[in-house]
């Protein structure tokens, strides 16, 4: 019964799918009231394929009148920036863990294993500081247990 109702709805209300290169977004006629002027009409299967590819981290591009999904190619500066942000985030997390463990030790509130954990987190933070963020492929140090 549900499929019959859905098919009846689709036949009464034709759903059209679009992609806008300027906004890099998908639009569906039954959902979006405002649709950019540069949209490219898609079949339902094209829409589904491109949406799946985009969800895998690919970029939708319009080249030579063809809409396709391709791997995102970052410049050297973008790679460095992305990697620096990740390193900064991981370092902040490590520093927070180190501070808490160090406070526990300083105040004689540490429990068994805290001193070993502190050493592991400090080593991890040092390893992070030595990561060359300009590389495309980085082997990040493993998080301490």
């Amino acid at each position: 019964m549900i499929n019959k109702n859905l098919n009846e709805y689709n036949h009464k209300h034709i759903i059209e799918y679009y992609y806008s290169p300027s906004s890099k977004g998908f639009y569906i006629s039954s959902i979006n009231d405002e649709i950019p002027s540069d949209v490219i009409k898609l079949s339902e299967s094209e829409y589904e394929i491109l949406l799946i590819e985009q969800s895998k981290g690919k970029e939708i591009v319009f080249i030579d009148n063809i809409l396709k999904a391709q791997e995102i190619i970052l410049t050297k500066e973008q790679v460095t920036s992305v990697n620096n942000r990740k390193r900064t985030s991981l370092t902040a997390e490590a520093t927070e863990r180190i501070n808490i463990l160090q406070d526990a030790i300083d105040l004689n509130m540490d429990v068994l294993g805290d001193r070993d954990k502190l050493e592991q987190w400090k080593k991890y933070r040092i390893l992070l500081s030595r990561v060359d963020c300009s590389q495309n492929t980085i082997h990040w140090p493993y998080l301490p247990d």
Side-chain angles (χ1 to χ4, degrees):
M1 187 67 152
I2 294 173
N3 287 340
K4 182 180 178 188
N5 289 342
L6 185 58
N7 285 335
E8 286 175 12
Y9 176 83
N10 286 342
H11 289 296
K12 289 179 187 175
H13 305 282
I14 297 182
I15 299 173
E16 295 178 326
Y17 302 91
Y18 304 98
Y19 180 79
S20 166
S22 64
S23 71
K24 297 187 178 194
F26 290 99
Y27 295 86
I28 301 173
S29 62
S30 63
I31 296 174
N32 303 101
D33 293 331
E34 294 183 26
I35 297 177
S37 60
D38 70 332
V39 293
I40 299 160
K41 191 172 182 180
L42 306 170
S43 69
E44 185 175 1
S45 63
E46 288 172 320
Y47 165 75
E48 289 173 355
I49 290 167
L50 289 170
L51 191 62
I52 289 168
E53 291 300 309
Q54 188 180 52
S55 73
K56 293 177 183 177
K58 292 187 178 178
E59 177 180 35
I60 309 301
V61 294
F62 187 62
I63 300 173
D64 298 327
N65 290 327
I66 299 172
L67 198 59
K68 62 182 181 177
Q70 71 178 20
E71 295 294 329
I72 296 173
I73 300 169
L74 301 177
T75 66
K76 188 79 166 166
E77 293 79 22
Q78 290 170 320
V79 168
T80 300
S81 178
V82 167
N83 290 337
N84 274 326
R85 282 195 304 272
K86 180 174 180 175
R87 180 174 62 186
T88 298
S89 174
L90 294 173
T91 300
E93 178 185 354
T95 298
E96 183 179 339
R97 301 278 182 112
I98 289 167
N99 289 341
I100 292 168
L101 289 166
Q102 189 64 60
D103 288 349
I105 292 167
D106 291 348
L107 297 172
N108 293 319
M109 297 175 68
D110 57 308
V111 295
L112 185 63
D114 278 355
R115 291 176 189 272
D116 290 336
K117 287 179 187 175
L118 177 63
E119 183 179 338
Q120 290 174 9
W121 278 103
K122 284 182 175 182
K123 287 179 180 178
Y124 172 73
R125 188 170 61 178
I126 290 168
L127 292 172
L128 283 173
S129 73
R130 295 179 180 166
V131 168
D132 180 359
C133 289
S134 67
Q135 300 301 310
N136 283 331
T137 303
I138 294 181
H139 300 288
W140 295 96
Y142 293 106
L143 281 170
D145 293 331

